[in-house]
Amino acid sequence: MISLRYHIVSITACFLALAVGVVLGSTALNGSLLSGLADQKKDLGTQVSDLEAQRNALNARLSDADAFAGTMGPKVVAGALDKRSVVIVTTEDARPADRDALKKLVGQSGASVTGELQLTSAFTDPAKADQLRDVVTRLQPAGAKFPTAGDSGTLAGALLGSTLLLDKASAKPQSSGDELAAALGGLTDGGFVKPSQGVQPAQLAIVLTGAQQTGDGAGDRAATIARFAAQMDRSGAGTVLAGDPGSAEGAGPIGVVRADTSATSILSTVDNADSAAGRVATVLALQEQLNGGSGRYGIAGNAQAIAPGVATSGN
């Protein structure tokens, strides 16, 4: 007769055998799994090393190309803007080093820089758009015709375009010295701009920005800069909006311009002004503006060419 004790011993033995089997099986499985993961880790490490090597090689080639452009740039632009004048407008996120290098190249092209003007963060702040519109409207020079569009960027472009840029046909000031001083003084007092000492009107303008806008209201801030630059272009002999590659993204000022056919038909854009090649393209684009042309230049996917007269590899 099978006793209860026999049943208990049998059941215990079964569970013990099962436990031992699980432990042994898990040990074998874990060893195989760990071995496989180690192999994958090694493969991934090799891939990462290869990609890093490729990246370093590409960066070296890019550095060499930019150094070459920096050396040849002055020769390429020599005389392109001979006896012309340029005013430089920067946004707050524009890099001073890019501004200074661009200013130097403009001088090497034969043009003179008549002054600099920085747009502050308040200029593009959506919360201060109404205040900017009020200031601009109050400072409108006598006889100046402002566009019917009521956005702050366009109106500010009309004000500064009519005071900072010379007449396209006559190359004479479009407003008086007092009106220029009043415009700059009013915008400075409102915290919207920071002008350099003794800014004078010029034939051409460069609006230099940084990367794409971020955070709340990014699209509105980018649109303000884009519309400002487009209206500046309408006010004088030519304007180029330049920035780094991020500015050509959807939330960047150049990206906004390139998505608007009415703006791209008049305003030139350069999306790699953080490089020597891009700065050369900016100066050549100003020359093209003088001749009535415009284009989208740089390295972004929405650029049409590297520089005026130079097609991209995809075109």
Side-chain angles (χ1 to χ4, degrees), residues 200-239:
Q200 295 297 317
Q203 292 172 294
L204 302 163
I206 296 173
V207 179
L208 180 65
T209 187
Q212 62 179 324
Q213 303 295 301
T214 58
D216 294 338
D220 291 334
R221 292 197 298 275
T224 297
I225 299 170
R227 292 166 183 164
F228 166 79
Q231 188 58 43
M232 285 281 288
D233 194 10
R234 296 184 182 98
S235 302
T239 295

Side-chain angles (χ1 to χ4, degrees), residues 258-290:
R258 291 178 176 177
D260 182 355
T261 54
S262 64
T264 55
S265 65
I266 59 169
L267 178 65
S268 292
T269 53
V270 177
D271 61 47
N272 60 333
D274 58 339
S275 68
R279 291 188 285 272
V280 170
T282 300
V283 173
L284 296 179
L286 279 178
Q287 182 187 47
E288 183 182 51
Q289 283 276 310
L290 281 171

